[in-house]
Amino acid sequence: MNTQKSNYEMVKGILLLYHRCSIEQDAAAVTEHIEAFSRHSRFRVWSVNTEEGFPAGLALLRFDVIILHYSLFAGWCYFLNQQFEDYLTASSSSYKIAFYQDEYRYCRKRFDFVNQQKLDCIYTLVKPENFKDTYLKYTPVKKLVCTIPGYVGNSLIDSAKRFYKPDRDRTIDVGYRGRQLEFFMGKGGQEKSAIASGFLDRAGKLKLKLDVTCTEAKRLYGKDWHSFLAGCKVFLGVETGVSIFDTEDVVREECERILAANPATTFDEIFEQVLAPWENKIYYRTIGPRHFEAAAFRVCQILFEGEYSGVLQPMVHYIPLKKDFSNFDNVIRLLSDRAIREELTENAYRDLIASGRYSYARFIEGVDKELEEQGFKAVPLSNEDRVSALLALGSWSRKVKASVWNLRYYGKFLPVPLRGLLRPLSRRLLHGNTDAGRSGTS
């Protein structure tokens, strides 16, 4: 027997590593995705927020399965400090799974991480026909599972019921919230703002109440977002994702170089110079959480034509809008017909929400099945309380230090007198905890 292994306690369950910052606002869909594992899995799941630093007791444990949530993997920084990375490396007997999103950039860094940590399985938004051009080309990972960015949780259904308004009481005819994306993401990235500007240009003189914008200041979260959605009769939308998947990490850098030299360079100019050979080379578009939210709130959707993971069908679940707006007049005619709107919204609610086909429970059932196929079994545990106690060691101190770290970081936006008071306090509280969980791989 390996004497080093005897120093560790083996755990028949799942360690879920994720990252959530309590100060920053974020979409509720991220939290629902994280919580789905412990809520629905037949396996025992222990969740650790890397934002709060490395739990001392974790060093004494080894888990059958380690799941790395997509919230850990920001493009430029991974929210895994050196202790977490060393732990992953040392957990050579664990079956390691990573969930990835926004995979179209910093690809070489991601591939290197997969290789260094010897990941066994990846849940990806890449379609199976493109596995060979992405992960299978650059990594030895054995198992790839195509997934979508989010599913339907109980909290979404509850919110839809709580905020629901009948069509006659909705004060916004057409609503939308988006953002302007960088050029290196291709035409697909530009669609998120193009649908807003194109619709406003053509509908501005019509007798419609519009609340359509792509400004960052107008983005909404939590209850504000749900209240806004519930007040819309129609919502604009596009496929989630982008149309350029930069496997070589060259497109973004070249775009940034050109824009630094000439900030007035247009998207069309950069497309011709750099982007054209990469456009739709690897398809990276999918249905997204907003489509499920609209279906749950019974909001009729006007969407740019696309595949939508085969889930949404035109004139069954949504009104299709051509990307050149050539059918705009017909779209306006359709959205003005209340009976058509209600038919489409009821179809979407039936197929996406009421059916349960895209619920988090069904999603986690699939994850459990994948684990069972790898030989793992959900069994009663004799050491569950001890494992929980070890992971909880120092939790209060870690939470406080993480909060102070965030206050220290965001304190630079406070008035000077408050910054002066915060600085010495944060130094004392952070003594001996130099990185919490945020410094990570960069």
Side-chain angles (χ1 to χ4, degrees):
M1 177 182 289
N2 188 318
T3 56
Q4 189 176 11
K5 278 191 176 182
S6 64
N7 296 326
Y8 309 131
E9 185 167 346
M10 304 305 296
V11 183
K12 296 290 184 182
I14 297 172
L15 172 65
L16 172 68
L17 298 181
Y18 69 97
H19 176 264
R20 297 297 281 152
C21 175
S22 59
I23 290 180
E24 295 175 320
Q25 284 187 311
D26 208 338
V30 181
T31 300
E32 275 205 305
H33 199 282
I34 292 167
E35 294 176 348
F37 293 91
S38 57
R39 183 172 292 157
H40 297 295
S41 179
R42 296 191 300 274
F43 292 83
R44 178 64 170 91
V45 178
W46 283 270
S47 302
V48 172
N49 184 0
T50 65
E51 166 75 5
E52 298 168 4
F54 189 87
L58 181 56
L60 304 175
L61 303 169
R62 292 293 184 269
F63 291 80
D64 273 351
V65 178
I66 299 176
I67 293 179
L68 305 173
H69 190 261
Y70 68 78
S71 56
L72 296 170
F73 306 112
W76 58 273
C77 175
Y78 286 2
F79 296 112
L80 291 161
N81 65 25
Q82 193 60 52
Q83 286 177 291
F84 280 111
E85 292 209 18
D86 290 345
Y87 177 81
L88 289 173
T89 301
S91 298
S92 57
S93 63
S94 299
Y95 187 76
K96 300 174 190 174
I97 304 172
F99 281 76
Y100 282 126
Q101 294 191 15
D102 296 328
E103 298 156 274
Y104 54 87
R105 57 182 175 176
Y106 300 102
C107 288
R108 286 311 182 101
K109 176 181 177 179
R110 183 177 306 104
F111 298 148
D112 287 346
F113 181 82
V114 171
N115 294 333
Q116 290 165 7
Q117 294 299 341
K118 296 180 172 57
L119 301 189
D120 298 287
C121 176
I122 293 172
Y123 280 71
T124 173
L125 306 188
V126 175
K127 299 183 73 173
E129 55 264 36
N130 294 127
F131 287 171
K132 62 180 173 41
D133 299 313
T134 52
Y135 292 102
L136 295 183
K137 181 177 180 179
Y138 297 96
T139 79
V141 66
K142 295 182 175 62
K143 183 73 174 180
L144 291 162
V145 181
C146 184
T147 186
I148 58 178
Y151 294 82
V152 179
N154 293 333
S155 63
L156 172 60
I157 295 173
D158 292 342
S159 291
K161 291 177 180 177
R162 185 164 65 252
F163 287 94
Y164 175 78
K165 294 178 182 178
D167 188 271
R168 64 180 177 275
D169 294 336
R170 302 186 185 198
T171 57
I172 301 169
D173 290 312
V174 181
Y176 181 69
R177 288 293 185 272
R179 54 163 47 114
Q180 179 71 51
L181 297 185
E182 295 174 88
F183 289 170
F184 74 85
M185 299 178 190
K187 291 182 178 180
Q190 297 305 297
E191 287 176 9
K192 292 171 174 59
S193 55
I195 193 169
S197 59
F199 200 92
L200 286 172
D201 288 346
R202 293 164 176 81
K205 296 181 180 179
L206 301 178
K207 293 181 180 180
L208 293 172
K209 175 65 181 300
L210 306 176
D211 194 338
V212 174
T213 181
C214 285
T215 60
E216 198 68 29
K218 292 283 188 177
R219 291 184 69 82
L220 300 168
Y221 298 92
K223 293 180 181 179
D224 292 337
W225 167 247
H226 286 166
S227 179
F228 171 71
L229 193 60
C232 296
K233 295 177 181 177
V234 174
F235 205 77
L236 303 178
V238 302
E239 283 185 290
T240 293
V242 300
S243 52
I244 291 182
F245 199 104
D246 187 9
T247 53
E248 303 296 331
D249 287 344
V250 296
V251 178
R252 178 182 57 84
E253 292 181 1
E254 183 63 12
C255 286
E256 290 175 351
R257 185 191 65 77
I258 293 172
L259 287 169
N262 182 9
T265 306
T266 66
F267 174 78
D268 288 340
E269 290 170 338
I270 282 189
F271 187 84
E272 291 300 321
Q273 294 178 55
V274 180
L275 306 180
W278 292 84
E279 182 74 13
N280 286 324
K281 187 176 178 182
I282 294 173
Y283 195 85
Y284 196 69
R285 310 297 299 278
T286 175
I287 191 172
R290 282 195 177 182
H291 304 115
F292 289 116
E293 289 172 339
F297 279 77
R298 288 181 164 89
V299 178
C300 183
Q301 301 182 69
I302 293 176
L303 305 178
F304 271 165
E305 293 178 324
E307 294 185 15
Y308 297 95
S309 305
V311 176
L312 296 174
Q313 301 300 324
M315 292 312 298
V316 176
H317 304 115
Y318 69 94
I319 298 171
L321 174 62
K322 292 187 179 297
K323 295 178 183 180
D324 62 2
F325 289 87
S326 59
N327 67 332
F328 179 78
D329 291 341
N330 189 50
V331 167
I332 294 298
R333 180 184 65 79
L334 293 170
L335 78 83
S336 301
D337 190 322
R338 182 172 168 179
I340 289 176
R341 293 202 309 270
E342 290 183 348
E343 179 183 356
L344 296 179
T345 56
E346 289 306 311
N347 289 345
Y349 186 88
R350 178 196 67 212
D351 294 341
L352 276 66
I353 310 300
S355 70
R357 194 175 303 135
Y358 303 101
S359 69
Y360 271 108
R362 185 75 64 87
F363 160 61
I364 297 298
E365 182 182 328
V367 175
D368 285 351
K369 184 178 179 182
E370 290 288 341
L371 290 176
E372 289 169 347
E373 289 178 358
Q374 297 300 322
F376 298 103
K377 294 181 180 179
V379 296
L381 302 175
S382 59
N383 60 345
E384 182 171 347
D385 291 341
R386 172 173 164 74
V387 172
S388 298
L390 284 171
L391 292 177
L393 286 174
S395 61
W396 184 86
S397 174
R398 286 187 285 110
K399 288 178 187 293
V400 169
K401 288 178 179 179
S403 296
V404 173
W405 193 99
N406 284 310
L407 286 172
R408 192 181 189 186
Y409 175 78
Y410 290 102
K412 62 188 177 184
F413 303 110
L414 294 174
V416 173
L418 288 178
R419 273 184 270 171
L421 291 172
L422 179 63
R423 196 173 293 114
L425 173 64
S426 64
R427 277 200 209 99
R428 286 196 297 271
L429 288 171
L430 288 173
H431 179 68
N433 190 62
T434 57
D435 60 3
R438 292 180 65 100
S439 61
T441 305
S442 59

